[in-house]
Amino acid sequence: VLQTGGSGANPSWTAVSSDFVKLASTTVSSNVSSVTLTGFDDNTYASYYLRINNAKTEVTGNQRGKISMRVQTAGGVQSGGTDYVYSIFYNYRRWDTDSNNSNTSNSEGASSISLHDWYLSGDDRQNTDIYFANPQATDHVKIFHCATTAWKHTSNGGDGPYTFSPEKNTAIYQSNTALTGINFFPTGNSASYIAGGNFSLYGLKK
């Protein structure tokens, strides 16, 4: 930006100052087994925002899988059978039967955090917002607020389509261990790869 130098002084160019900083970003254009974002610095950032844009798995039959989440520590990606607790709530409309419904999906001990309660249809994409704070702390568990949008899903070609409110998820990694990253991977409907999408991590300065 161009900054004034005061009365009688020449202006000068300075760097743009921002309290909202992109820390990491990965765009997937061909099949990968997972995506991990790193770059935490709790001394600088009060909280973090992670965005998944238009992610997808490969198509199996007439459906795709979905993208789920795990944390990474100094010991690697954590996938123990009781590492995570989460609770998802959402509303949806099934248009072929003109019905409005609500649903919950909960786990008291899981090996990952589910970000989407359904598989994706072939032309659907997953968009998710994730907020969290102090991932490097060692005095408390790690709490995540997640919201995923899905505009349409047809489970087998014979029902639906469906439209959803954002699927809101409060999720917890049940350990005081400091995190070094967030890992995303495909699951459901025999999915083996993340086939597309952008994954970005931002920090909000103190």
Side-chain angles (χ1 to χ4, degrees):
V1 294
L2 188 62
Q3 185 177 54
T4 180
S7 178
N10 293 325
S12 59
W13 291 99
T14 62
V16 175
S17 175
S18 175
D19 290 333
F20 189 64
V21 181
K22 181 184 285 188
L23 303 176
S25 184
T26 296
T27 297
V28 176
S29 57
S30 59
N31 291 349
V32 298
S33 59
S34 66
V35 170
T36 300
L37 297 179
T38 61
F40 301 143
D41 181 359
D42 287 2
N43 291 322
T44 302
Y45 303 105
S47 58
Y48 299 85
Y49 167 59
L50 201 154
R51 171 69 182 179
I52 302 174
N53 286 318
N54 293 325
K56 63 180 181 179
T57 73
E58 79 275 26
V59 174
T60 304
N62 62 355
Q63 294 186 91
R64 299 182 186 273
K66 57 184 179 178
I67 310 297
S68 292
M69 167 183 154
R70 292 178 172 132
V71 304
Q72 177 179 279
T73 70
V77 176
Q78 300 303 302
S79 58
T82 59
D83 281 351
Y84 306 93
V85 172
Y86 64 83
S87 180
I88 301 174
F89 175 80
Y90 57 97
N91 297 305
Y92 68 94
R93 179 173 177 80
R94 179 174 173 175
W95 289 91
D96 61 333
T97 59
D98 290 327
S99 59
N100 297 307
N101 307 274
S102 61
N103 197 27
T104 58
S105 179
N106 305 291
S107 176
E108 294 186 22
S111 62
S112 64
I113 295 171
S114 178
L115 300 174
H116 196 329
D117 202 31
W118 297 52
Y119 301 154
L120 302 178
S121 53
D123 56 358
D124 201 356
R125 299 294 183 269
Q126 182 172 331
N127 294 277
T128 301
D129 299 295
I130 302 169
Y131 299 89
F132 55 100
N134 303 118
Q136 294 179 309
T138 57
D139 63 343
H140 59 76
V141 299
K142 309 306 181 291
I143 303 171
F144 302 89
H145 171 75
C146 314
T148 295
T149 56
W151 70 272
K152 177 181 177 181
H153 170 90
T154 303
S155 64
N156 59 15
D159 61 293
Y162 302 79
T163 51
F164 295 80
S165 68
E167 297 185 33
K168 297 181 179 180
N169 183 359
T170 298
I172 300 168
Y173 172 56
Q174 301 189 92
S175 172
N176 293 0
T177 305
L179 306 187
T180 61
I182 303 294
N183 173 264
F184 299 97
F185 67 100
T187 186
N189 200 44
S190 302
S192 300
Y193 301 102
I194 299 174
N198 175 263
F199 300 76
S200 295
L201 173 68
Y202 301 85
L204 180 63
K205 289 184 178 179
K206 294 182 177 180

